[in-house]
Amino acid sequence: MLSTSKFLFLVLMGVVSLGSNAACSHEMPQVCKEFYDLSGQQREGEFVTYPVKKQLEIFRCGLRKKPPERGWAYEIAKGGEKIIPDVLQELETEKDEWVQVNIIHVLQIMSAKGYLHNRQDVVDEASKVISRMKYSFYREDAKKALEDIEKKM
């Protein structure tokens, strides 16, 4: 579990890294605009009806909001074992380390729910992504999440 100060530091670093890329980034995708135009209650009701790929896209957009919205990780994780291939594909193709750490957090939640039992492929893929991370604070946080995943396997 993250301490409050470390969590705030990671959130701040995510916001700073996103802010530094703001001039280069594109506008929020239409699917995210439509989703975030809904009321909070409507978002909660709609999110669970979306296919996992759409959920992951909205999750990514939420991570880029100020402040970041990380709570969708818990809803995504409820998808269970059947979403593992999509989550792993998203992890592999994602280039933003802040988003990668948060996708690993989704896997950590899934592990706590028992969905990753004996899934060495998940550990191997996450390890590969973590080994490529350039920023030590993201890498260390991701490693701790992966250790937690391995304990629950």
Side-chain angles (χ1 to χ4, degrees):
M1 219 26 122
L2 289 176
S3 69
T4 303
S5 60
K6 185 168 183 181
F7 174 77
L8 291 174
F9 174 76
L10 288 171
V11 169
L12 178 62
M13 291 309 299
V15 169
V16 168
S17 72
L18 293 173
S20 66
N21 292 330
C24 301
S25 65
H26 300 287
E27 282 189 34
M28 185 180 283
Q30 188 63 33
V31 66
C32 295
K33 284 182 188 178
E34 291 170 3
F35 178 76
Y36 282 108
D37 282 345
L38 299 172
S39 71
Q41 188 174 8
Q42 288 173 312
R43 284 193 299 263
E44 288 178 24
E46 286 291 314
F47 191 83
V48 298
T49 68
Y50 296 154
V52 69
K53 287 186 182 274
K54 187 172 182 178
Q55 288 180 341
L56 287 163
E57 184 174 5
I58 290 168
F59 180 55
R60 185 183 310 104
C61 292
L63 293 172
R64 290 186 170 98
K65 290 175 62 73
K66 294 178 184 175
E69 291 189 14
R70 299 179 72 205
W72 297 118
Y74 294 91
E75 290 301 321
I76 294 168
K78 288 179 183 177
E81 294 175 15
K82 70 182 182 295
I83 70 164
I84 293 171
D86 289 324
V87 174
L88 288 180
Q89 180 183 18
E90 191 75 16
L91 179 61
E92 175 61 31
T93 58
E94 180 59 53
K95 301 301 180 213
D96 184 319
E97 291 182 10
W98 164 247
V99 177
Q100 289 172 339
V101 169
N102 282 280
I103 294 171
I104 292 170
H105 180 62
V106 170
L107 293 169
Q108 185 179 19
I109 296 166
M110 292 175 72
S111 175
K113 293 179 176 290
Y115 298 137
L116 303 184
H117 187 68
N118 292 326
R119 291 299 303 256
Q120 188 62 42
D121 60 322
V122 173
V123 171
D124 293 345
E125 186 62 38
S127 293
K128 189 169 49 171
V129 170
I130 292 168
S131 72
R132 293 189 304 246
M133 289 182 171
K134 295 178 180 126
Y135 297 106
S136 62
F137 47 90
Y138 289 142
R139 187 174 51 252
E140 291 307 312
D141 201 43
K143 280 182 182 178
K144 286 179 183 170
L146 184 58
E147 288 171 8
D148 189 50
I149 290 169
E150 290 178 301
K151 285 179 193 172
K152 292 180 174 75
M153 285 182 54

